[in-house]
C-alpha cells in the first residue's frame, strides 16, 4: 500500500491482494459504534468505492 498526500486529498495505491481485502472490508462494513446520523453517508461511500474497484 502506498499513500500520498495531495493538495486537498489523499491518493492510495493498492496491490491486487489489497484491493481484494478492501473490497471485503467495504462489503462487510458494520455500523457498530457509528452514529445513526452518519450511517447513510458511510453506506453511500462504500457503495461508490465498491463500484470503482476492479471486480477482482
Amino acid at each position: 500500500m502506498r499513500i500520498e498526500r495531495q493538495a486537498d486529498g489523499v491518493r492510495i495505491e493498492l496491490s491486487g491482494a489489497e484491493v481484494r481485502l478492501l473490497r471485503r472490508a467495504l462489503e462487510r462494513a458494520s455500523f457498530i459504534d457509528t452514529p445513526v446520523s452518519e450511517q447513510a453517508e458511510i453506506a453511500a461511500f462504500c457503495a461508490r468505492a465498491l463500484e470503482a474497484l476492479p471486480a477482482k
Side-chain angles (χ1 to χ4, degrees):
M1 179 183 323
R2 196 169 106 203
I3 302 172
E4 297 176 14
R5 292 198 177 272
Q6 296 182 339
D8 63 343
V10 175
R11 177 184 173 96
I12 300 172
E13 186 175 322
L14 303 172
S15 70
E18 291 166 333
V19 168
R20 186 179 57 77
L21 292 172
L22 178 58
R23 176 174 287 286
R24 294 272 192 209
L26 290 168
E27 289 171 346
R28 287 156 180 78
S30 94
F31 296 107
I32 298 171
D33 298 331
T34 301
V36 171
S37 62
E38 295 178 13
Q39 289 179 2
E41 185 177 10
I42 291 168
F45 170 80
C46 289
R48 287 192 316 272
L50 284 166
E51 289 173 6
L53 288 173
K56 291 188 179 203

